[in-house]
Amino acid sequence: MNPESLDELVSPYGVVSAVSDPRPSRICDRLYSCGVEVGTPGPASTRRTTGRLGGGGRGWADPALARFVAIAEGAERYAMALGPDRREIIRSTAHALAGECLEPFRYPRCSARELADPGCPVRPFDPAAAIRWVTGLDLISGAPVWVPAVMACRDLAPADDAERFVHRLSTGHAVHTDPVEAVVRGTFEVIERDAVAVLWLQRLALPAVPPAELVASTRHLIECCRRRFVTVRLFDATTDLGVPTVYCLLTAEHDLRLRHWTAASTARDLPGAAAKALEEAVGLLGLLSEGTVVPGNPAEFSAVQDGARYMGAPERAAAFDFLLAGAAAAPPPRRPALPEDPDLALAALIERLASAGTRPVVIDRTTRELADVGLTAVNVVIPDLQPLSLHPLAQFTAHPRLYEAPARMGYRVLPEEELNPWPQPFA
């Protein structure tokens, strides 16, 4: 696609209101990044967030690609911040929609211990309470299904306590010029976040990604990090779903503010996941190294990056020891890559998710502005998987997935009282 094909989305009053000039990373001059500001999609009274939304993109040795990806991510943020048309919403109870809605038994849930804390922002789901629902598409059956609107639309403001049963991030949202590829990318992100949540809470000792699995750009970026006294560790975080996932840990022993930080990625193959995870981690350096003072009490976290910056402090370096021990484990098994063709890749993903007993659903979030430039926006929802939560008091530790996944992968399983007590360092 022409790198300039999304430019009509950019204007002071457009989907993307501002774009920065692509700049090389301070660690590697071949990795370019670009930032955008997102326009305001609709009245603030309908949205959970306030203020300006932002986004960014990266491109290896290609500033034009970094700019294109940044605009596309801005379009994704715009779409997920826009509430559904009132004509698309119904208000009902899960009881009344039984057989027609995404089943509540699949929804992640917090434990009694979490819910007892007055700081917990989540409430138990009540199937007898009337909430808002929107239509999604069941990826396994191809049939329409009602989905809680607060699951489908990240920035839709909860109407009341009955809709406060989830902790929402951008998980599952994706845009692409190919509608099927958009669904593939959204599914990848849900799988990635599931892996990150499970490995951190269960403190899984992951095997290292073999050097032979790394592409040339990844090896070059690792060397650039080494020259700047930053150590790179790449772990195979692929779960029982068998979709290649890599968890990246960067360590700067000399840094007095940011000793450790992390990133992750799921892709068609392990080399691709490793490349993206490392690029993501390097791209986070500026965001995590600057800014206001992080609250000393995790219960007071407010910014997305607060947990990562809090856990990056040198005095909390020991919290990452379980990862470092895993690097010496046996090498991971070789896994077949997913097909490049989007239709075949999606079919493979659906087969694996169906075999695991999950029910993946996709919601179309495409706005008129995005459709005009050939973009499709989606949100993939798979509540059976473990959600990544950045709120320390709502980690959904009663969700069966948190305990079933490690067992299926051959790891020991920690009970709730032994789960990782440290805040999630993901940003």
Side-chain angles (χ1 to χ4, degrees):
M1 192 170 186
N2 184 339
E4 298 178 357
S5 60
L6 301 185
D7 281 1
E8 65 180 87
L9 294 179
V10 182
S11 81
Y13 307 102
V15 169
V16 174
S17 57
V19 184
S20 68
D21 292 330
R23 295 181 178 179
S25 162
R26 69 174 76 172
I27 285 183
C28 178
D29 60 9
R30 299 191 68 186
L31 180 63
Y32 286 86
S33 62
C34 179
V36 299
E37 288 188 0
V38 181
T40 303
S45 60
T46 67
R47 303 195 313 276
R48 179 175 60 90
T49 59
T50 58
R52 304 296 294 181
L53 295 172
R58 279 171 287 281
W60 182 259
D62 191 345
L65 176 61
R67 185 178 188 276
F68 178 87
V69 173
I71 295 173
E73 181 168 294
E76 174 192 308
R77 299 293 174 88
Y78 181 90
M80 75 183 186
L82 189 66
D85 189 291
R86 291 182 180 179
R87 294 169 295 183
E88 300 173 345
I89 292 180
I90 66 168
R91 191 171 184 86
S92 183
T93 69
H95 283 329
L97 294 176
E100 301 178 52
C101 70
L102 191 56
E103 304 93 334
F105 75 80
R106 301 181 184 276
Y107 303 173
R109 47 193 178 271
C110 287
S111 68
R113 177 188 58 80
E114 290 178 289
L115 294 170
D117 193 308
C120 181
V122 172
R123 303 293 180 267
F125 180 77
D126 182 358
I131 63 171
R132 293 167 294 178
W133 303 79
V134 296
T135 303
L137 181 72
D138 185 322
L139 288 173
I140 295 174
S141 69
V145 58
W146 291 108
V147 180
V150 291
M151 280 185 171
C153 312
R154 194 205 75 164
D155 284 277
L156 182 67
D160 49 44
D161 277 354
E163 292 188 333
R164 299 184 186 277
F165 58 92
V166 294
H167 174 74
R168 293 176 292 163
L169 295 173
S170 60
T171 303
H173 288 268
V175 300
H176 204 274
T177 54
D178 184 319
V180 178
E181 184 64 22
V183 180
V184 170
R185 301 292 179 92
T187 305
F188 279 167
E189 188 170 68
V190 181
I191 292 172
E192 168 205 307
R193 302 291 174 84
D194 165 75
V196 170
V198 171
L199 76 86
W200 183 257
L201 287 169
Q202 285 285 352
R203 289 191 276 201
L204 302 185
L206 304 173
V209 175
E213 293 280 356
L214 304 180
V215 297
S217 62
T218 304
R219 294 195 295 269
H220 181 84
L221 192 48
I222 290 174
E223 177 60 18
C224 288
C225 289
R226 187 193 65 79
R227 292 176 181 176
R228 287 155 182 80
F229 307 101
V230 175
T231 302
V232 176
R233 295 179 177 90
L234 297 167
F235 304 97
D236 185 350
T238 306
T239 67
D240 55 311
L241 298 176
V243 185
T245 301
V246 170
Y247 192 70
C248 177
L249 174 67
L250 297 191
T251 304
E253 295 289 351
H254 63 285
D255 198 312
L256 299 180
R257 294 183 61 189
L258 191 65
R259 177 66 51 83
H260 292 305
W261 70 103
T262 69
S265 179
T266 295
R268 283 173 165 81
D269 56 28
L270 207 62
K276 186 177 178 183
L278 180 53
E279 290 174 10
E280 291 276 353
V282 170
L284 284 171
L285 180 57
L287 175 68
L288 300 180
S289 298
E290 302 165 358
T292 57
V293 176
V294 180
N297 182 357
E300 298 174 0
F301 289 173
S302 58
V304 170
Q305 64 270 25
D306 279 351
R309 294 175 61 206
Y310 177 88
M311 291 304 300
E315 60 268 27
R316 285 178 272 277
F320 296 87
D321 285 351
F322 74 93
L323 285 167
L324 304 182
R334 293 187 63 85
R335 298 181 177 89
L338 270 67
E340 284 299 321
D341 178 83
D343 291 295
L344 296 177
L346 182 57
L349 288 171
I350 292 172
E351 180 182 6
R352 296 181 192 192
L353 290 166
S355 297
T358 75
R359 190 182 187 186
V361 175
V362 61
I363 299 95
D364 186 0
R365 305 287 292 129
T366 309
T367 68
R368 184 180 61 187
E369 302 97 324
L370 271 59
D372 286 346
V373 296
L375 289 178
T376 295
V378 301
N379 182 20
V380 177
V381 176
I382 314 175
D384 306 87
L385 299 187
Q386 185 69 24
L388 175 70
S389 174
L390 302 184
H391 198 296
L393 302 181
Q395 292 296 306
F396 299 89
T397 59
H399 199 31
R401 171 69 179 173
L402 181 57
Y403 308 96
E404 293 171 355
R408 291 173 182 166
M409 296 158 63
Y411 288 98
R412 54 93 182 100
V413 180
L414 298 177
E416 180 186 0
E417 59 272 17
E418 295 180 23
L419 293 174
N420 197 337
W422 290 108
Q424 173 60 247
F426 198 79

